[in-house]
Amino acid sequence: MRAFLFRPLAIILSVLSAGCAGTYRPVDYDMPSIPSDSPYAVISGVQVTAKDGVSNQEMNDFDVALRRALEHRGIRVDLFSDAPLLNVQLHRLHAESPAWYAAKYALGISIPGSSSNAITVQMETWRHGRLLKRFDEFDDYREKTPSWDAMKTSVSNRIADALFYAR
């Protein structure tokens, strides 16, 4: 009788804890200082916009994560400089609820087309109202992760790295 009661309890606990399994954990590391001759050592601002399916709260969260990633790489934001302005546009492709992800993971269901959260990014720099550079490597870039926190961290780190290593 105990085994009969224990089995459903074990299944319920595994479903509830499955949402935590396999989550993305960013690794903290020390960046070298950005070269002074880098075209993006200083930027005049960060502008985050959205087209499809990204809420204002998610845009604000992404803006904070992006500024943190830029600061970590030594890229300064100086509003009164003649430096380029960074414009990042987010497009939400799919948003999956954490409960659905946990249930699907626990049951081992694989449904094509609804694997996780997915987003695409367009990144450009502007100066004096003119397009300075469009980062083409982000045209085909899509990020998929189970949680929005992991996604915003990963995407903001990738954008900051693109500015850090730009020539």
Side-chain angles (χ1 to χ4, degrees):
M1 182 68 176
R2 285 186 188 179
F4 181 74
L5 292 176
F6 180 71
R7 177 169 261 178
L9 181 62
I11 291 171
I12 291 171
L13 288 176
S14 67
V15 168
L16 293 176
S17 65
C20 300
T23 56
Y24 171 79
R25 303 261 190 251
V27 177
D28 193 26
Y29 55 92
D30 293 329
M31 291 291 295
S33 59
I34 189 166
S36 59
D37 66 338
S38 173
Y40 303 110
V42 177
I43 57 175
S44 65
V46 176
Q47 181 179 12
V48 177
T49 59
K51 253 191 176 173
D52 301 324
V54 181
S55 69
N56 287 335
Q57 178 65 36
E58 289 173 333
M59 280 192 335
N60 292 337
D61 289 348
F62 185 80
D63 186 86
V64 169
L66 180 57
R67 289 176 188 270
R68 214 175 276 142
L70 293 172
E71 180 182 317
H72 182 71
R73 283 150 185 83
I75 299 171
R76 288 187 313 119
V77 177
D78 185 3
L79 300 176
F80 302 108
S81 71
D82 191 31
L85 170 73
L86 174 65
N87 182 16
V88 177
Q89 191 174 63
L90 305 173
H91 305 269
R92 190 67 168 265
L93 299 177
H94 177 68
E96 183 174 75
S97 73
W100 172 244
Y101 175 78
K104 192 170 64 172
Y105 181 80
L107 298 173
I109 299 172
S110 177
I111 300 172
S114 66
S115 59
S116 60
N117 295 305
I119 201 162
T120 59
V121 178
Q122 285 183 344
M123 181 176 151
E124 304 167 334
T125 54
W126 292 76
R127 181 181 283 155
H128 303 296
R130 290 185 169 177
L131 179 65
L132 185 63
K133 180 178 180 179
R134 181 161 188 214
F135 288 78
D136 295 332
E137 64 260 26
F138 286 97
D139 287 346
D140 298 327
Y141 172 70
R142 288 187 179 171
E143 181 73 26
K144 287 185 176 183
T145 57
S147 73
W148 171 248
D149 290 331
M151 184 182 298
K152 72 180 177 186
T153 302
S154 176
V155 173
S156 61
N157 284 337
R158 175 137 178 172
I159 290 171
D161 285 343
L163 287 178
F164 185 85
Y165 293 111
R167 289 284 166 212

